[in-house]
Amino acid sequence: AQADSDDCSTTATSSGMKVLIAALLPLARACSYVEVPFPVASEGSSGSAYAIARTMELSNIGGMVSYTIEAVPANASGGKYAFVAPFNVFHLPPSPQKVALEGMNEVGFTASALALEESVYEDEQASLSEPDAGKPTVLYEDVVRQLLMNCDSVQAALDFLASVHVVRGGGYAKLLFRKEGLHWALTDSSGRSVVVEYLQGKRVVSENAPRVMTNDPNLEWQWRNLNTHVNLSPHFPTENNFLEVDVDHGVGRVPRAVGHGWNLHGLPGDSSPPSRFVRLFYLRGYAMRAAAPTDSSEAIVLGTALLNNVFIPFGTVAPEPSPSLDRPEFTPYGIIKIPAERKLLVRGYRNTQWRQIDLAKLDLTKAQAWPLEDGSLGIADIT
């Protein structure tokens, strides 16, 4: 079946292999996403552009997962736009299968997929029996690729999603893997940012004013949870100075702050999705209050620092006893995208030096590929 709109069109297909891949994707449960604004001049007026920083967390499921960065021409994908994306490569028989969970296209539209276990897609409710049951279907693991190849803006992407049914699919994989799902952060060069979730079989679109996203629970819950950390402060703690008294044994005056960092006391430090969401929101805000980026380079610096804060070393996040394929998650790659400049930066787990792909300079009529890791640690010997 084929869906057409003014801005997007696609041919939606599914297969047993795609369903299996979709079932494996939720074993990545710790991805993080944050946007960092910086000022730009646009048509004589001041505005903001954004550096979009995200991590990918996925265990090497059964030793079957690797990564590649690829430029996909429009004539190769069958869509309207060329795009660049890091692909998760699942080495399954009879041949490897590639899935894009992240990327940016030639006009600066970007899509980021992060795990959301509580997702309930349209084929799991009564929606497919309604009058619009004739809409084409798109398997949820294929949403990023379809949007990147066919949409030029957030609005175009929303129009496309309204024209199709996003489904989980069926088959044996659905029976084996019950915890599965994705939600999506969509942005474009204008700076608009939305999150799309499928909850209880309905599409839920949220304008992403906080410009942060992680995983479960859903976005509304994460927003409300920010209210439980209002005790955090950008200021050195002096509120209790009026209680100070002198005590013996050389202790001096108490209570007083000894050392730095007490303004962040209570900031959650674990790798759970709510904790990462809170850290990214408050740390970005406090960092920008002290020194807001003045250009894209400074936004990259702050985005890098924030990604470092949610970076997961291998073995630190315990895998679930079931499913048996679950292995310790880690951060195989990080991404920074700057839609206004058509630039995408990528770094690996071993080599954390950023490498840049400038889509404005890249020949997007040719298919190209780059390895995620180059075999080195990226260390420059300056002796």
Side-chain angles (χ1 to χ4, degrees):
Q2 183 165 331
D4 294 291
S5 70
D6 291 340
D7 301 289
C8 302
S9 64
T10 185
T11 299
T13 62
S14 63
S15 66
M17 183 62 70
K18 282 191 173 184
V19 172
L20 176 59
I21 294 171
L24 295 174
L25 292 178
L27 296 180
R29 301 191 184 104
C31 303
S32 301
Y33 172 103
V34 62
E35 300 179 27
V36 178
F38 61 93
V40 293
S42 177
E43 296 181 356
S45 62
S46 296
S48 293
Y50 294 86
I52 303 164
R54 71 85 47 100
T55 61
M56 164 59 69
E57 275 77 40
L58 181 68
S59 61
N60 186 6
I61 306 164
M64 298 184 295
V65 182
S66 65
Y67 304 91
T68 182
I69 308 158
E70 298 188 12
V72 181
N75 60 8
S77 69
K80 295 180 180 180
Y81 304 105
F83 66 90
V84 174
F87 281 85
N88 293 29
V89 184
F90 295 87
H91 296 273
L92 300 168
S95 61
Q97 304 293 316
K98 298 177 182 179
V99 178
L101 299 178
E102 174 60 60
M104 178 166 63
N105 69 17
E106 61 183 288
V107 294
F109 170 76
T110 87
S112 302
L114 285 73
L116 185 69
E117 289 183 9
E118 69 178 88
S119 299
V120 177
Y121 294 102
E122 294 174 282
D123 58 338
E124 299 176 283
Q125 296 292 329
S127 57
L128 290 186
S129 64
E130 295 172 356
D132 63 355
K135 290 181 180 180
T137 60
V138 175
L139 194 65
Y140 77 97
E141 61 93 11
D142 203 31
V143 165
V144 166
R145 185 179 68 89
Q146 295 288 354
L147 295 181
L148 290 176
M149 63 191 259
N150 291 298
C151 301
D152 61 358
S153 67
V154 167
Q155 189 57 53
L158 296 179
D159 292 343
F160 168 74
L161 292 173
S163 73
V164 301
H165 282 299
V166 174
V167 300
R168 183 182 301 278
Y172 63 90
K174 183 178 180 181
L175 299 176
L176 292 175
F177 301 94
R178 299 184 185 277
K179 294 181 178 179
E180 49 184 288
L182 297 170
H183 57 172
W184 297 268
L186 310 178
T187 64
D188 58 34
S189 58
S190 75
R192 187 180 179 189
S193 178
V194 305
V195 169
V196 177
E197 299 175 316
Y198 286 82
L199 305 173
Q200 300 180 358
K202 301 295 184 181
R203 184 177 65 258
V204 178
V205 178
S206 304
E207 297 290 338
N208 190 12
R211 297 182 183 265
V212 175
M213 190 168 81
T214 56
N215 315 107
D216 292 81
N218 62 64
L219 191 63
E220 180 184 345
W221 187 99
Q222 301 284 10
W223 287 351
R224 294 182 187 278
N225 187 51
L226 292 175
N227 296 336
T228 67
H229 297 276
V230 292
N231 58 292
L232 299 171
S233 171
H235 304 292
F236 191 86
T238 60
E239 290 83 358
N240 290 313
N241 285 1
F242 72 97
L243 294 173
E244 285 187 0
V245 295
D246 285 309
V247 295
D248 293 335
H249 308 297
V251 173
R253 295 182 68 81
V254 295
R256 74 185 193 279
V258 180
H260 294 83
W262 291 107
N263 61 304
L264 299 177
H265 183 65
L267 184 72
D270 60 85
S271 294
S272 67
S275 295
R276 288 180 283 107
F277 195 104
V278 168
R279 289 210 304 281
L280 290 173
F281 178 82
Y282 280 98
L283 293 178
R284 178 195 57 191
Y286 292 169
M288 292 191 60
R289 186 179 189 274
T294 60
D295 56 28
S296 61
S297 294
E298 292 183 2
I300 290 171
V301 172
L302 178 52
T304 301
L306 293 169
L307 291 190
N308 289 344
N309 189 269
V310 294
F311 184 93
I312 298 179
F314 181 86
T316 60
V317 172
E320 290 187 23
S322 179
S324 60
L325 288 176
D326 195 14
R327 293 188 176 185
E329 288 182 9
F330 69 109
T331 305
Y333 68 78
I335 292 283
I336 293 181
K337 301 174 291 185
I338 307 177
E341 298 180 357
R342 311 296 193 270
K343 292 177 181 177
L344 184 149
L345 286 69
V346 62
R347 68 180 189 179
Y349 181 80
R350 291 175 54 83
N351 184 350
T352 58
Q353 179 178 346
W354 289 115
R355 291 177 291 155
Q356 177 176 287
I357 299 174
D358 188 337
L359 276 70
K361 298 178 181 178
L362 192 65
D363 183 355
L364 289 169
T365 65
K366 299 179 180 178
Q368 301 182 58
W370 303 267
L372 175 63
E373 298 275 9
D374 62 3
S376 77
L377 298 181
I379 298 173
D381 187 345
I382 62 171
T383 55

